[in-house]
Amino acid sequence: MSEDNNNINEFEKLVNVEYIKKLQSVIWDLFGFSFYIANPSGGAIIGSDKMQPICKIIRSFEKGKECCDISDAAILGDAKLSGKMICRKCMAVGLTDAAIPLFVHDEHIATLFFGQINSHGLTAEAVKKFAKEIGADEKAMVKAYNKMQFADASYFERVLELMKLLAQNISEIMEANSRTKKSENENLQNSEKIYMEYDIQIFMNKLQEKLFRNSDYTVQTLDSAALDIKEFLGFDRISVYRDISGIGAEFVPDAGDIDGIRTIKGADVSVLYGVEKYGFTCCDGHGGLNEFVCPGGDYITVALPIFADRTFSGFISMSIEGKKRIFTVSEINLFKNIAAALSNFYYRIYAETKLKKAGLIDKSVTE
């Protein structure tokens, strides 16, 4: 989206466009001059279909339109740079134009442009001269000029005060609406955070229940839990690497693509090294490590360590194909809570295995 479109969207979010259009009509009917709202680049956000007849004639000629466009751009640019109202003769026939920048929290959002006012004593001779320069009909130009009301100094000062008040009013409306929208967004974010935390708590409760409810410390229980984790987190693939330290036979339940025993090599070795060294790591599919930030590649792998009796015993590996992610603190904390739950599950397997080997229990652990 272009910068101009962004400005238009931002302005329309903060001001009722129909309100501005009604003001345009009222000011034209009462005072006989027009105004429009320009973005910081000079393009129209809210244009005006009102124009002095003499200006319509001037703009209908290429040279005349060029003079008007240069004049408008110059005064809009000066108002933007100065941050103040600029008022001067136009570079075309010599009518008076003015521009007032509009700010929201000290940021230039738009500019109120008004003018086509005869306040500098424009003469019929000057109108004829300019008509010749652009190739316009002199009589038609003078006729249009004669219809204009001359604005003396006192009248023009009142016009300027009116437009200053209008600009101030529009800026205040935008600031008030900006504060309201900011508050609404903060409330929405807080609500979303509460709902997210609520959903996470429900998920963790269900995961804990699945892992420990029936004392069924088997591969099948772990695989079922892995499928639940994959679905909740939205990952493409999830694997749990267990018994790397020699507690028992290694197995890799892989949700959605179970392939039994797998040799850990290549990128998986980098993941394993990173987990042991840093406690949390990401891999880009080529063995590259980047803690917390996944840089993208053939696939992204997030891995967290699993412990049994304070011994590093494996890791949970979660992959997304062809995506780039920067994980939030909330997501990282969730990953760590999942790893902690699996660590507790592993410890139960470890404890039962030791008791079985010591002949203290008859129950076997299914591998």
Side-chain angles (χ1 to χ4, degrees), residues 16-148:
N16 186 328
V17 174
E18 293 304 315
Y19 166 72
I20 301 296
K21 289 181 177 179
K22 286 180 181 178
L23 287 175
Q24 286 176 321
S25 295
V26 169
I27 287 177
W28 176 263
D29 292 340
L30 291 178
F31 304 103
F33 68 90
S34 62
F35 77 88
Y36 69 88
I37 306 296
N39 62 42
S41 300
I45 295 178
I46 302 178
S48 174
D49 57 356
K50 309 296 184 183
M51 187 180 294
Q52 295 290 352
I54 191 172
C55 296
K56 287 183 179 179
I57 295 174
I58 293 171
R59 282 188 169 272
S60 67
F61 291 86
E62 184 178 351
K63 189 173 180 180
K65 183 179 183 302
E66 183 180 356
C67 287
C68 291
D69 290 344
I70 292 173
S71 180
D72 291 355
I75 193 170
L76 286 167
D78 288 347
K80 176 181 178 179
L81 290 174
S82 68
K84 300 176 182 179
M85 182 180 76
I86 300 294
C87 179
R88 66 164 73 109
K89 281 185 181 181
C90 74
M91 297 179 187
V93 74
L95 298 176
T96 304
D97 291 330
I100 307 175
L102 306 175
F103 293 91
V104 175
H105 309 307
D106 296 325
E107 180 183 357
H108 180 215
I109 299 296
T111 303
L112 187 153
F113 183 93
F114 63 98
Q116 302 178 355
I117 301 171
N118 183 11
S119 67
H120 285 92
L122 180 64
T123 65
E125 290 303 315
V127 171
K128 288 180 182 181
K129 181 180 178 182
F130 188 71
K132 287 181 181 180
E133 290 178 9
I134 64 174
D137 182 271
E138 295 179 31
K139 290 183 178 179
M141 285 272 285
V142 171
K143 183 178 179 181
Y145 157 75
N146 287 330
K147 291 181 179 179
M148 296 187 69

Side-chain angles (χ1 to χ4, degrees), residues 327-338:
F327 294 104
T328 65
V329 173
S330 296
E331 287 176 310
I332 292 168
N333 288 336
L334 174 57
F335 296 159
K336 290 181 177 180
N337 287 336
I338 290 172

Side-chain angles (χ1 to χ4, degrees), residues 188-203:
L188 179 61
Q189 289 172 1
N190 289 336
S191 297
E192 290 175 347
K193 183 178 179 182
I194 290 170
Y195 284 127
M196 182 180 70
E197 291 175 350
Y198 178 70
D199 289 341
I200 288 173
Q201 187 60 51
I202 290 177
F203 169 73

